[in-house]
Structure formats: structure tokens, C-alpha cells
Amino acid sequence: LIASDSPLALCIRKCDPLLQDCDESYGCYWVGYDFQCELTNQNLPTGAPCGYIDDCTPGDICLDAMLVPDCMGSACCTNFCNLELGPGQCDALPGTVCIPFWEQGTAPPEYEHVGVCLVMP
């Protein structure tokens, strides 16, 4: 609980999901509007069912089951990938390819190379 009539300044560390440049025990996770360092919750492996943004091992993201092949839950962990490195990055989850994280033309400049391994379109 934070109760105050004065401004509150919080420093939240931004990060790169491909570099995983957060401190130990933290992962770089998508929090709905940016990538931030968050305490890792369960370290679930790629392909495992998940429920929260910090359930997956750092370097993965928890996404809807329809986007992850053979997902046995409502959402599962899948890898981030680098769009500049070509095929082969999604081999840990057969049936996926590296797809841009953002729609064309909407990625912030520092994240234009970020993709995610999703079901082949």
C-alpha cells in the first residue's frame, strides 16, 4: 500500500529480451507496454503451460496457447528470437518460426530486431 499526497518516483529498469541484461534472479519480460526486469517466478521451460509474465525462463514469453504448438494449457512459454539471425532460432519448439514481435512499422527503434517463436502462419 502506498499512501501519499506527494509524487512518487519509481525507477524501473528497461531491458533487451534477447540479451537478458537483468540482474541475477531477474528476467527481461514484456509487461504489456515495455520490456522490464522482473523477478523470475517459476523458470518454466519452453513449451510449458504458464499463467503469468514471469513464469517462463528468462528469454521466453508466456503467450496464448493458439500461438504455441502442442500447448497443454491456456498459455505456454515460447522463445524470443532475433529477426536478423535467420532460421534455426526456434528449433527448441518445433513447428514455430521467428515472427516480428511488433506489427510492421510499429517497433521502437531499439527493439526492431526482436521476434518471437510462433506457430507457422
Side-chain angles (χ1 to χ4, degrees):
L1 172 67
I2 299 174
S4 175
D5 291 336
S6 61
L8 176 66
L10 294 174
C11 295
I12 300 173
R13 183 163 175 215
K14 290 178 63 165
C15 54
D16 186 320
L18 300 177
L19 297 177
Q20 287 299 313
D21 50 351
C22 299
D23 295 336
E24 190 175 339
S25 299
Y26 286 77
C28 183
Y29 297 104
W30 177 251
V31 296
Y33 57 89
D34 205 353
F35 290 105
Q36 295 179 0
C37 293
E38 298 288 329
L39 189 62
T40 301
N41 186 17
Q42 295 190 50
N43 275 320
L44 297 174
T46 301
C50 54
Y52 298 100
I53 61 169
D54 56 355
D55 280 349
C56 302
T57 190
D60 278 12
I61 183 171
C62 184
L63 293 177
D64 187 272
M66 294 183 65
L67 302 172
V68 183
D70 303 321
C71 180
M72 302 304 277
S74 59
C76 283
C77 301
T78 189
N79 300 96
F80 284 108
C81 52
N82 187 329
L83 297 169
E84 298 170 349
L85 297 182
Q89 299 176 76
C90 298
D91 290 348
L93 196 57
T96 62
V97 293
C98 189
I99 306 287
F101 188 74
W102 280 272
E103 291 184 23
Q104 186 174 9
T106 64
E110 68 270 24
Y111 297 127
E112 288 178 337
H113 62 294
V114 176
V116 65
C117 296
L118 300 177
V119 172
M120 290 185 224

